[in-house]
Amino acid sequence: MTDPNAIQPSELDQLPDRDPEETAEWQASLDAVAKAAGPHRAAYLMRRTLERAEGNGIALPKLLETDYVNTIPTAAEPDVPGDEAMEQRITAWNRWNAAAMVTRGSKYGVGGHIATFASAAWLYETGFNHFFRGKEADGSGDQLYIQGHASPGIYARAFLDGRLTEDHLDNFRREAGGNGLPSYPHPRRLPWLWEFPTVSMGLGPLSAIYQARFNRYLTARGIKDVSQSHVWAFLGDGEMDEPESTAALALASREGLDNLTFVINCNLQRLDGPVRANFKIVQELEAQFRGAGWNVVKSLWGSAWDELFQLDTTGALVRRLREVPDAQVQTYQTRDAAYIRQDFFGSDPALAEMAKLLSDDKILECFHLSRGGHEARKVYAAYKAAVEFKGAPTVILAQTVKGHTLGEGFASKNANHQMKKLSVDEFKSMRDLLELPISDAQFVDGVVPYGHPGADSPEVRYLQERRAALGGPAPARRVHPVAPLPAPAEKAFAAFDKGSGSQNVATTMAFVRLIKDLVRDKESGKRWVPIVPDEARTFGMESLFPSLGIYSPKGQTYEPVDRDQLMYYKEAKNGQILNEGITEAGSMADFIAASTSYATHGETMIPFYIFYSMFGWQRTADQMWQLGDQLGRGFLVGATAGRTTLTGEGLQHADGHSPVIAATNPAALTYDPAFAYEVAAIVKDGLRRMYGEAAPGEDQNVFYYLTVYNEPLPQPAKPAAPGVDEGIVKGLYRFNTAESAGVQVAAANAPRIQLLGSGTAIHWTLKAQRLLAEEWGVAADVWSATSWSELRRDALEADAALLRGEERVPYLRQALQGAEGPVLAVSDYMRQVPDQIAQWVEQDYSSLGADGFGLSDTREAARRHFGVDAESVVVAALAQLARRGEVKATAVKEARAKYGL
């Protein structure tokens, strides 16, 4: 009887069936197999048929999961070139020294991680011996994103090949003395070794994808042919829970980034326990990556399992492996053969019969030791398949045991991420297991010795020969000597000095106009990398579309809807703009790749990334920290800035604090320019410092953060007074005085106040200057504070100099020296922004800012709400002067009533 609720064949496909009889025959065959051989056999045949269809290029939905076995059959594994026994000894030395380094450092309480590298040793060693191309190879070599917690193993290898000494290892995580090793991959701390910071988990995989994409961009634009570079990202299965880890998988497959390989160390454990206690993380990741269009290679089981799979004539073993949850697999690692016989094999009669053929030693070898990620042959096969696959990126899911070779106290224990040392007895057991020639006598006073076979030993010679053949040491960071970029023509910057006359121009538009001129420069124009997250038209950048083009590996395969317009949407294979869609994280990853190209590829690039200021630092500040660690250079531009300037958008868009977050980053030079000529002066100085002739003592490895506004206002001419350019760069200069502004003050000895305004707030202070003079008889001088944080940085350096016995006056004090009256600072940000300088201002100091959540309204209403409009500035100025007895106290009350405050 037919089930009335069953889905009928006609409901499964909207296309008509041109041969229903043939369809019925196929369905009947499947029914017959299921009836005769069981549903498992039917499922097996269906999976194999779908795999064949996929392999033949037949358009079918992808099979998202495959059996819980190795992708590459044992019979298809290629031979590993080189000397496997020698590589085994090298790996043993690295395992030992990685554990010794962390254990010896534990007496200082600095921490460290042992278990991660222990599980991943062969994943790295196979790459170093056979795949990872060094910086001395053609092109730029490969880019290696090393898993942060595996850093001790990388240091151990550098020690073996002579790049590090015992003294270095003994100063692991103790850097203050000047000869230490950073805890994780930190280029800023160890710039000759580490290229990419990865330990803020999730940022490594995201950055690796965009690095691979940027490599294609450089090649397509003719900057440098880096088509032979391969990007390798080493990740943990627990790390894949971070949203950034999988945020750009579709980009990588969409653009066919077959120059990219993810190697995910699936030891089934995160920091405190199983990654997927009741599920299968490998199967989940396989479905996720295959669904995103990646090539997936699973390397799960070692060679000891070959015999078991040959005995699995019913498929019961594969089914059982698929159904056992990860936490139970972890338990098998720690239990005896009897437990495994009962719990694993006892669940199915066919498995129980198989277990009778297996010795206890065989069972323990399989379940305790034998994993695909622990055998060079299995790993080599996976890596070779990855680099030879074309058309899509590859992910390798390599199963390992966390804490492998460290002994029963470590292997697969939930706490092993926090375990920082082995006992002497555990080291001796490890020594015996690894067959290392270290005697008991070398354990002096209970201190574990480092092991080294000798600088001229066969192991070291082999290691160095392999690296020489692959293009030199790895990992390694190289900054190739490159000539400073010539400064662009002065006219590009000077064009803003005369102001805009009667035309209203927002500083966002001023910045875009400046960039349009700079990208035309014959020498440096092609070096600019404009990056925008799908808001180019909001920022007035659509004029760049037809002239620069938007990068796309496919070019433009369609006719744009606005083809008849002057500023039509143009994509090109050699396009210069990176228009990323709605992803600030992706745009920042672009920026990081471009900003460090001077080191990665020996090619200086000038990225600028323009974004809603609210959605930059607040959303991706962790990546800005990564950028500083990676020694990136370029311009971050927070557009539509300010808490009251972006009208109507409201709380979620109103930025009142990005300069606060930016001020926490030591590599960020944060500016809040008020006028177009200030924007030009800051960009000019940034190009000089980061890409040209830096002054002695200046750190070139900085990046600039500029806030620009969308409020169209008249742009004044640059004041002719001396020192204006210096003041713009250092953070403060006097824009005008009451006298030079032409405001009329009745009394010759009128009270005076200094008004400091940044960004768009200077326009309120200028209006307040006039109101104070005309209505209250107060003379006000107006200063443009282009950078509160640079003023603070300079003052902190002056304080540090005093502690060293050096006399130095902060620039802020020098600038305000002799300025009469109190100081009132105003910005469109929370008061914490201008208050950065408060302790170094010798005059009476007060501030106004837009604290609290933003709101939707007109600019005028929002500014009145936050108490930062011109009238509020007047009242605050009168209050300061009243406290000093320089105006009557009643003036404050009168002003409040007059202005409706």
Side-chain angles (χ1 to χ4, degrees), residues 596-679:
T596 55
S597 181
Y598 73 92
T600 308
H601 295 299
E603 293 289 344
T604 299
M605 305 300 287
I606 313 171
F608 80 85
Y609 163 36
I610 188 167
F611 50 88
Y612 265 73
S613 63
M614 184 66 161
F615 305 139
W617 283 90
Q618 175 166 292
R619 182 167 289 190
T620 57
D622 196 10
Q623 287 178 285
M624 274 78 160
W625 198 260
Q626 177 190 13
L627 167 66
D629 191 347
Q630 202 168 318
L631 308 172
R633 307 168 184 173
F635 296 96
L636 297 176
V637 184
T640 60
R643 179 142 282 165
T644 70
T645 305
L646 183 59
T647 57
E649 294 286 359
L651 182 150
Q652 199 69 20
H653 286 65
D655 172 24
H657 55 277
S658 70
V660 177
I661 306 175
T664 65
N665 192 310
L669 277 61
T670 304
Y671 287 90
D672 187 24
F675 305 123
Y677 68 79
E678 293 178 354
V679 172

Side-chain angles (χ1 to χ4, degrees), residues 365-697:
E365 180 186 14
C366 288
F367 283 84
H368 284 193
L369 302 173
S370 187
R371 296 294 181 272
H374 293 325
E375 294 187 14
R377 182 181 180 87
K378 304 292 184 183
V379 176
Y380 181 87
Y383 285 10
K384 190 171 188 292
V387 297
E388 291 178 353
F389 190 87
K390 300 303 176 187
T394 294
V395 59
I396 295 169
L397 304 175
Q399 189 160 270
T400 66
V401 176
K402 193 167 186 178
H404 183 58
T405 73
L406 297 180
E408 293 181 0
F410 261 86
S412 281
K413 296 298 175 68
N414 280 339
N416 62 20
H417 186 77
Q418 281 74 35
M419 296 163 68
K420 312 301 181 188
K421 60 183 178 179
L422 277 71
S423 68
V424 169
D425 287 341
E426 286 172 325
F427 266 109
K428 290 179 180 179
S429 296
M430 181 183 177
R431 171 200 63 190
D432 296 340
L433 175 66
L434 298 176
E435 299 179 347
L436 291 171
I438 298 173
S439 67
D440 288 354
Q442 290 177 259
F443 290 81
V444 179
D445 296 328
V447 177
V448 58
Y450 293 120
H452 200 292
D456 196 39
S457 65
E459 291 92 336
V460 172
R461 289 201 306 271
Y462 181 89
L463 182 156
Q464 293 175 341
E465 287 167 2
R466 291 306 308 141
R467 289 312 314 158
L470 287 166
R477 181 178 180 272
R478 296 285 186 271
V479 179
H480 303 279
V482 292
L485 287 182
E490 180 63 28
K491 64 179 181 180
F493 306 102
F496 297 90
D497 290 352
K498 60 184 179 182
S500 64
S502 60
Q503 181 183 9
N504 289 338
V505 177
T507 51
T508 299
M509 183 53 62
F511 176 80
V512 173
R513 288 181 182 177
L514 174 62
I515 294 300
K516 283 182 66 177
D517 288 338
L518 293 176
V519 295
R520 295 192 188 105
D521 185 82
K522 292 181 179 179
E523 295 291 335
S524 61
K526 68 178 182 179
R527 302 283 174 178
W528 284 89
V529 183
I531 303 167
V532 61
D534 201 38
E535 288 276 11
R537 296 182 193 277
T538 300
F539 308 137
M541 290 175 59
E542 64 269 28
S543 61
L544 300 178
F545 288 168
S547 58
L548 300 184
I550 299 166
Y551 170 72
S552 169
K554 288 185 174 294
Q556 194 155 41
T557 61
Y558 60 91
E559 188 175 24
V561 67
D562 55 359
R563 61 194 176 280
D564 298 327
Q565 298 180 18
L566 180 63
M567 293 181 284
Y568 66 96
Y569 197 84
K570 177 186 174 183
E571 297 187 77
K573 291 182 178 180
N574 63 346
Q576 194 164 350
I577 301 170
L578 292 173
N579 192 3
E580 287 306 346
I582 306 173
T583 167
E584 287 83 4
S587 299
M588 265 308 302
D590 264 337
F591 186 89
I592 292 170
S595 70
T596 55
S597 181
Y598 73 92
T600 308
H601 295 299
E603 293 289 344
T604 299
M605 305 300 287
I606 313 171
F608 80 85
Y609 163 36
I610 188 167
F611 50 88
Y612 265 73
S613 63
M614 184 66 161
F615 305 139
W617 283 90
Q618 175 166 292
R619 182 167 289 190
T620 57
D622 196 10
Q623 287 178 285
M624 274 78 160
W625 198 260
Q626 177 190 13
L627 167 66
D629 191 347
Q630 202 168 318
L631 308 172
R633 307 168 184 173
F635 296 96
L636 297 176
V637 184
T640 60
R643 179 142 282 165
T644 70
T645 305
L646 183 59
T647 57
E649 294 286 359
L651 182 150
Q652 199 69 20
H653 286 65
D655 172 24
H657 55 277
S658 70
V660 177
I661 306 175
T664 65
N665 192 310
L669 277 61
T670 304
Y671 287 90
D672 187 24
F675 305 123
Y677 68 79
E678 293 178 354
V679 172
I682 293 164
V683 172
K684 178 182 177 181
D685 189 70
L687 290 173
R688 174 201 62 79
R689 176 168 179 173
M690 294 185 291
Y691 303 103
E693 297 285 357

Side-chain angles (χ1 to χ4, degrees), residues 135-377:
K135 299 301 180 184
E136 296 160 19
D138 293 338
S140 302
D142 290 351
Q143 287 83 55
L144 307 181
Y145 288 77
I146 305 293
Q147 191 178 2
H149 293 136
S151 62
I154 308 306
Y155 290 140
R157 195 171 211 275
F159 169 64
L160 202 64
D161 74 7
R163 292 196 292 164
L164 292 176
T165 66
E166 285 194 16
D167 189 44
H168 286 113
L169 301 192
D170 264 346
N171 283 286
F172 173 60
R173 291 196 170 198
R174 295 193 300 137
E175 300 176 77
N179 198 30
L181 299 178
S183 53
Y184 303 124
H186 293 303
R188 187 169 284 274
R189 291 300 181 211
L190 202 62
W192 60 267
L193 181 74
W194 298 120
E195 275 196 289
F196 307 108
T198 54
V199 84
S200 184
M201 286 189 279
L203 299 190
L206 179 69
S207 295
I209 290 174
Y210 280 89
Q211 182 65 58
R213 197 281 200 91
F214 186 74
N215 291 357
R216 291 281 173 85
Y217 169 89
L218 277 185
T219 302
R221 289 197 53 218
I223 302 293
K224 182 178 182 180
D225 183 358
V226 294
S227 56
Q228 297 306 306
S229 290
H230 200 89
V231 178
W232 299 82
F234 289 83
L235 320 167
D237 46 1
E239 181 177 5
M240 299 310 294
D241 285 347
E242 290 283 6
E244 294 90 350
S245 295
T246 55
L249 298 187
L251 167 72
S253 60
R254 183 171 66 243
E255 299 202 2
L257 298 181
D258 50 24
N259 60 338
L260 169 68
T261 297
F262 275 16
V263 181
I264 303 182
N265 177 15
C266 298
N267 57 36
L268 313 185
Q269 291 181 247
R270 55 163 70 110
L271 307 187
D272 288 322
V275 178
R276 293 290 182 272
N278 297 297
F279 306 94
K280 307 289 286 185
I281 185 60
V282 168
Q283 299 301 91
E284 179 183 319
L285 291 173
E286 178 184 28
Q288 193 169 16
F289 277 87
R290 286 176 68 87
W294 285 54
N295 174 45
V296 178
V297 177
K298 294 196 288 192
S299 182
L300 307 180
W301 308 111
S303 55
W305 285 83
D306 290 348
E307 179 184 342
L308 275 67
F309 289 125
Q310 289 299 312
L311 295 172
D312 187 28
T313 57
T314 66
L317 175 62
V318 172
R319 289 196 301 273
R320 182 65 176 145
L321 288 173
R322 183 184 177 90
E323 71 186 18
V324 174
D326 283 352
Q328 190 64 18
V329 174
Q330 182 185 349
T331 297
Y332 293 150
Q333 301 282 155
T334 64
R335 302 301 292 269
D336 60 20
Y339 178 89
I340 298 170
R341 283 183 187 278
Q342 178 181 349
D343 190 86
F344 182 86
F345 292 98
S347 63
D348 185 290
L351 289 179
E353 289 300 312
M354 181 189 298
K356 293 177 181 178
L357 304 175
L358 304 174
S359 67
D360 285 356
D361 287 345
K362 182 65 175 181
I363 289 175
L364 293 178
E365 180 186 14
C366 288
F367 283 84
H368 284 193
L369 302 173
S370 187
R371 296 294 181 272
H374 293 325
E375 294 187 14
R377 182 181 180 87

